[in-house]
Each structure stands twice: as C-alpha cells, then as structure tokens.
Amino acid sequence: MGSGTRIDHQHHLVATTQGLTIEAPADEVVLMPEAQREIIDRALEIQAQWDDNHGQATLDEAMEYSGLRDRLRHEYDLWNGHGLIQEAEREEAEAQPPGFPPRASEPPVSIPVQRAAAQQVLDEVLEEHQAAAALAVQARDRWPDNPEVSFVQDFEAFREIHDAAWNRELEGEEAVPYMLENATGGLGTRESGRGFGLELEFVTDGDWDDQGEALRAIARDLHEAGLAQDNYMYGYHSQRNAGYTDAANAWRLEEDCTVAGEIVSPILYDEPQTWQNLATVCEIIRRHGGGAGEQTGGHVHVGLHDYDHDVANHQRLMDLYADHEDVLFRLAANRNAPDSEHRGFEWCEPNYVQAEGYRALGDVHARARHGMALNLTAARGQRSDHGEFRLWDGSIDPAVIQAQVNVSLGMAAAAVREDPATPRHRRRLGHHIDYWGTQRPPDAQLEVSSLAFREFADEILRGRQQMAQAASLYALTRWQESGW
C-alpha cells in the first residue's frame, strides 16, 4: 500500500460457497445482514471440515449443512445448485408438503448476471483464501528455529535486562529502550502487510479554559510539524468515519468525552519516520501540559489481512489472549498511576474465552466486542480487517507505546503462525497476585515469579531487542488484581 493509500469502510461482504451462490449486484455492494453472514460463515466452516476429511461428511454435518442451505433459500431467497442456479432445485422444493416455510413463486430474473457475478465472487474468495494460507506458511517459515535468546532457557539473560531497567528507573533515566530501526523485528513492515494504528488518549493540567488553550496549541503544533493536515480538533471517531490513510501527515486530534482529547494516527509501518513522528507527537502533548492520567487508555489497532474467514485464526488469537491475560494486563498498566494500578475495565473488560471454541465469526464477535480488552468486531474475513487491543493504559512515553505495539503485533502474528495443537495453559487476570502480591519480589524469587512472562516473551516476541524492551517494561510494572 503506497503513501496516501486510503481504506474506506465499505467492506466486500458478498461471498460464495460450494453449493451456495450469493448475488453480487453489478453497480453497488450491499451489506448483507449479520445473521445471513453467520450462516455463510458456518457453511464455509463445514465445507472446510469436509475438505480436511477427504470429502467425507458425518450425518450431523450433512444435516446441519442442509439446514443452512434451506435457511438461505427460505429466509433470503437464495436459490442455486453447486454454483449454477437450477429450475429443478426450486421445483423440487416447492413440491414439498404444506408446513414448509414459504418459497418465492418465481425464480430470479437475472440468472445470467447472477451466474457471472457469483463466479467472480467465488474466484475472489478462493484467491483471498489461498493468499491467506500462503501468508500463514510464510509466517511459519520466517519464524527463527534458533531464536536470538530464550528467556525460559537463559534466565540470567532476562535477569540482566530486568535489573538494568530497574536501575535506570531509580536513576531517573529512560528505563524502556526506544528503537528507530527494525523496531518490530519485521512484524510491522510494509512487506509483512501487517500495519498498525494508535489512539493516544491524554489529559491536561488546569481548568476548562486551560484545557481549551492546550488543545488548540496541540492542534496547531501538529499541523506546523507536518503531522496533521490542518490545525483543527475533530469530533469523536472522525478519522474512522473519513477512512484511514497511511499518509504521514494524517495524524488527527479528536474529541473524547472521557479525557481531554486523543490523537489518532494514520496507518503506520515499522519505518524510522514512523517512530520519529511518534516521538514528536508525544513531545507536543507534553509541551502543552498533556499526559497520561489514571483513566486514560491507549488503543493499538493491528492488521489482520491474513486471517481470512478462518475461524481457527481468530480462535487462536483469543486463546493466546486467555493464556497470557495476566501478563498482558501487567504490561498494560500505567506504572506512574497510584500503586501502579491498571485503570480498570469500564472500557476494556477482560474477554471471556470459551474452552470449546467458536463455530463462526459471529460467535467470536460476541466475545470480543467494542469495550473489551480485545476487540475483533472489525475482523470479518476481509483484507482490510483489523483487531483492536484496548487493554493498554495510556502513555505519552514513545518507548512504552512501541512496546505495546510490539506485543500487539506479536500476538496477531503468533495466532496465524502457531500449530493448532499447541498446548494451552491459561493464566487469567489475577492469577499471579495471589502468589506474589503487588511488590517487587526478592531476587531469590525472581526466576519463579517471572516464568509466565518469560514463556510469553519466547512465544510472542520476535528478536532480542523486542524481548529486552518488553522485559524492561515488565520490571517496572506489577501483577494486577482480577477486579471481579
């Protein structure tokens, strides 16, 4: 995606499955109802199971699939037979005895158009699925067999980084390292296709008049620094509604009723200019009395272009979140807040991840919606999909924000890369505080108390620099209460 590329919010929600043809209008894309989408997602899932089983279906699967086809016919008037609309199929259904749901009395009048549109959409869906599968293979191939460091196997390497960060903090130095080049270990580059975006909430000093003056000055300085296209403060979610772009001057100051304001980034990639711009944005906020308060949040959006309609990819991301939830909320907490306590769950409720898994993307959305720690409502099987990590506390420290980006990117990439049979060990929020409390453990207990983080770092983070950055943040934070 080149500089200035824009992504709008009209998603291509038409699709086909073998035996199901959904008409694609020639002049516009009509958003299909969510219930219809869920039926199609489930049909795709059953077909994938058949493919894995060499075309063999169980009786339950065949009956469920037949029911899904009937629902599409009866509720949405979609009639076809294996990719071609057939008169015989409608006639056979209409010959059923009374009591069946009513059928349309006439076949579609645009059969040739439907045929061509259906085949085009089928080709597009197949191409996207094959591309996503190829990206998953590529991600596995690129993950190093011999990592630069393993914190599980080399505790002393972790201890050295941990203690050095703690000492820098005590000396008033920058405790978390900040990188300008190869900051994500390749996970957030343009070549990877996984862009990211930021929402930086902040508060300001003084009364209402002082806040207004500070906001005007921040908007002005963003524009003068070439980071914003004008010196306005926009309404809430105006960037989202206008459509995101990767233009470097598309940072935008927006209203947010819960804080003084928030700055929304363009689509970003791991490039020196990105990190220089982020540092400038943070400096502008601080220059005018802005900072992270007890209730400010930081949201990291991560591209999910390679997740496709595969529920398994989304399931693994949810599983990873559940496995590492306690570590994630520790890293997310604002260490400068009173008692280094996380801001709470009003806008980032911990996700409930069911052990039995999910059958369709609609089931995932119900457990990962807006207002939760991990929001996947914008993940619908499209190339423009993204997930939102909302658990992060707000920060105006670019190194902390960069660490949050690295963890978010690492989680998204690991879900595609990992073997579905990877053993799961869930450590939910509050797991560790019962054992270790809120204080820094004695040196003799560090190896045991840090094991969950070290396992997390080995699994999620790409290189030594990214692992050292996260370990530094770990050293400055504490375990969090469950809050329930």
Side-chain angles (χ1 to χ4, degrees):
M1 193 160 48
S3 178
T5 301
R6 179 169 294 279
I7 298 175
D8 62 26
H9 295 278
Q10 288 185 331
H11 300 296
H12 188 185
L13 294 183
V14 290
T16 63
T17 72
Q18 182 182 3
L20 301 173
T21 303
I22 294 84
E23 180 174 1
D27 56 346
E28 63 177 344
V29 174
V30 179
L31 299 182
M32 68 172 61
E34 180 65 21
Q36 181 181 351
R37 185 70 190 175
E38 291 178 1
I39 295 172
I40 294 172
D41 285 339
R42 178 55 184 157
L44 283 167
E45 182 181 1
I46 293 174
Q47 288 188 344
Q49 293 171 356
W50 292 350
D51 291 341
D52 293 340
N53 198 30
H54 307 291
Q56 299 299 312
T58 67
L59 178 60
D60 288 343
E61 288 172 341
M63 291 178 65
E64 181 182 1
Y65 187 76
S66 177
L68 293 172
R69 282 170 55 97
D70 282 346
R71 288 189 62 189
L72 286 171
R73 295 165 180 158
H74 306 155
E75 298 175 23
Y76 301 100
D77 199 29
L78 298 177
W79 294 81
N80 71 290
H82 300 294
L84 297 176
I85 299 172
Q86 297 176 350
E87 287 287 323
E89 186 179 35
R90 179 183 289 271
E91 292 171 358
E92 178 184 355
E94 288 179 342
Q96 299 291 343
F100 277 68
R103 270 72 167 175
S105 58
E106 296 296 333
V109 296
S110 55
I111 289 176
V113 175
Q114 286 188 5
R115 245 179 231 159
Q119 187 59 51
Q120 179 181 352
V121 175
L122 176 61
D123 292 343
E124 291 174 0
V125 171
L126 179 60
E127 182 180 353
E128 289 180 358
H129 178 72
Q130 291 173 336
L135 288 171
V137 172
Q138 184 181 83
R140 287 190 286 272
D141 291 343
R142 287 183 174 179
W143 193 255
D145 293 330
N146 299 306
E148 297 176 23
V149 64
S150 166
F151 283 166
V152 172
Q153 297 177 9
D154 190 349
F155 169 69
E156 289 304 321
F158 165 77
R159 182 200 291 274
E160 180 180 347
I161 295 167
H162 175 279
D163 291 351
W166 182 255
N167 291 332
R168 288 194 299 271
E169 180 85 343
L170 293 178
E171 295 296 327
E173 301 174 3
E174 297 295 335
V176 181
Y178 190 54
M179 298 168 278
L180 295 181
E181 296 186 2
N182 194 29
T184 67
L187 296 184
T189 63
R190 289 184 187 271
E191 292 73 20
S192 75
R194 199 179 307 285
F196 56 95
L198 303 171
E199 296 178 39
L200 308 178
E201 296 179 359
F202 61 91
V203 293
T204 59
D205 298 328
D207 58 18
W208 182 261
D209 291 336
D210 293 333
Q211 177 176 299
E213 183 177 347
L215 292 172
R216 287 189 292 273
I218 289 171
R220 180 197 65 225
D221 286 4
L222 287 172
H223 178 52
E224 291 180 355
L227 297 172
Q229 297 174 359
D230 50 51
N231 60 357
Y232 303 141
M233 183 174 188
Y234 286 82
Y236 180 62
H237 276 177
S238 64
Q239 181 84 292
R240 184 188 70 178
N241 296 333
Y244 294 104
T245 172
D246 63 354
N249 66 343
W251 295 78
R252 184 178 291 204
L253 176 62
E254 293 188 0
E255 297 174 350
D256 187 322
C257 65
T258 65
V259 291
E262 71 174 0
I263 294 180
V264 182
S265 79
I267 300 169
L268 303 173
Y269 295 96
D270 181 6
E271 298 166 345
Q273 190 64 53
T274 288
W275 306 118
Q276 291 167 2
N277 289 347
L278 174 60
T280 300
V281 168
C282 291
E283 193 279 325
I284 288 173
I285 295 173
R286 290 194 300 267
R287 182 190 307 166
H288 299 289
E294 296 177 30
Q295 300 300 318
T296 54
H299 304 162
V300 178
H301 297 254
V302 176
L304 304 179
H305 66 292
D306 47 358
Y307 275 46
D308 195 48
H309 291 88
D310 191 348
V311 178
N313 288 329
H314 303 78
Q315 172 74 55
R316 284 194 293 275
L317 180 56
M318 295 287 284
D319 286 338
L320 282 168
Y321 163 83
D323 289 355
H324 301 299
E325 185 180 64
D326 209 19
V327 170
L328 288 168
F329 270 90
R330 173 172 176 152
L331 296 177
N334 178 4
R335 71 183 191 273
N336 297 317
D339 297 324
S340 299
E341 186 175 6
H342 189 273
R343 72 185 188 278
F345 311 134
E346 183 176 2
W347 301 106
C348 59
E349 176 186 342
N351 300 73
Y352 171 75
V353 182
Q354 57 195 43
E356 60 271 24
Y358 304 95
R359 297 177 60 181
L361 290 183
D363 299 329
V364 177
H365 297 157
R367 296 298 186 183
R369 59 185 184 274
H370 187 268
M372 290 186 164
L374 176 58
N375 171 22
L376 295 180
T377 54
R380 299 181 177 274
Q382 310 302 316
R383 295 282 293 177
S384 59
D385 282 1
H386 69 272
E388 181 186 16
F389 290 79
R390 298 176 54 86
L391 76 160
W392 305 114
D393 276 358
S395 178
I396 309 301
D397 181 344
V400 172
I401 298 168
Q402 189 179 71
Q404 295 170 351
V405 168
N406 272 325
V407 169
S408 304
L409 286 169
M411 293 279 289
V416 175
R417 180 186 73 248
E418 287 195 350
D419 188 325
T422 300
R424 306 258 64 100
H425 185 187
R426 296 189 172 186
R427 298 184 178 99
R428 303 311 302 266
L429 178 59
H431 175 87
H432 287 87
I433 198 167
D434 292 337
Y435 295 96
W436 307 109
T438 61
Q439 302 303 312
R440 188 170 186 259
D443 289 347
Q445 297 178 347
L446 181 60
E447 184 170 7
V448 177
S449 65
S450 66
L451 178 60
F453 168 77
R454 291 184 286 120
E455 290 176 343
F456 166 83
D458 281 8
E459 181 178 10
I460 300 301
L461 299 171
R462 178 66 181 268
R464 186 184 184 94
Q465 287 184 304
Q466 292 73 38
M467 294 172 71
Q469 184 183 61
S472 299
L473 186 57
Y474 173 88
L476 309 178
T477 53
R478 67 162 177 87
W479 297 115
Q480 301 293 316
E481 293 86 355
S482 67
W484 300 117

